[in-house]
Amino acid sequence: MEGYGLTTAEIHYHLPDYPRLLQLYVWQEYDLAPEFPTLRGFLSYWEQELEGALHSVRVAHHRLIKPAEWQAVDGVFTIQ
């Protein structure tokens, strides 16, 4: 599970009817860093099937599971 986490991509693309204008699309999915196979698949689909040409992509990634997050629990506390 190393590298697995939430990936957010800001995708800037040209509008098909107005190529001088840029539009922003925000994409989020769980993916594996640093290869990002899910994001690469989505961008490949975009280039093949959608009309808006890609301008730029900015990626942020946050690992969900880290070794330091796992701790033994000594008890359960109830708050009423």
Side-chain angles (χ1 to χ4, degrees):
M1 295 189 73
E2 187 173 331
Y4 181 78
L6 183 64
T7 301
T8 304
E10 286 184 0
I11 302 169
H12 293 264
Y13 65 96
H14 296 275
L15 292 174
D17 295 335
Y18 303 98
R20 290 186 178 190
L21 295 178
L22 289 176
Q23 182 76 352
L24 172 67
Y25 180 79
V26 177
W27 176 90
Q28 277 191 325
E29 186 65 58
Y30 297 108
D31 208 353
L32 293 169
E35 290 84 20
F36 301 110
T38 307
L39 175 59
R40 288 180 186 269
F42 176 74
L43 293 175
S44 175
Y45 169 80
W46 184 300
E47 289 178 329
Q48 293 173 6
E49 302 294 329
L50 301 179
E51 293 181 19
L54 294 174
H55 176 270
S56 61
V57 178
R58 186 165 67 167
V59 178
H61 179 77
H62 182 12
R63 289 186 358 186
L64 296 178
I65 298 175
K66 301 175 188 172
E69 291 182 11
W70 295 99
Q71 298 178 4
V73 177
D74 293 332
V76 177
F77 301 97
T78 305
I79 299 174
Q80 297 184 16

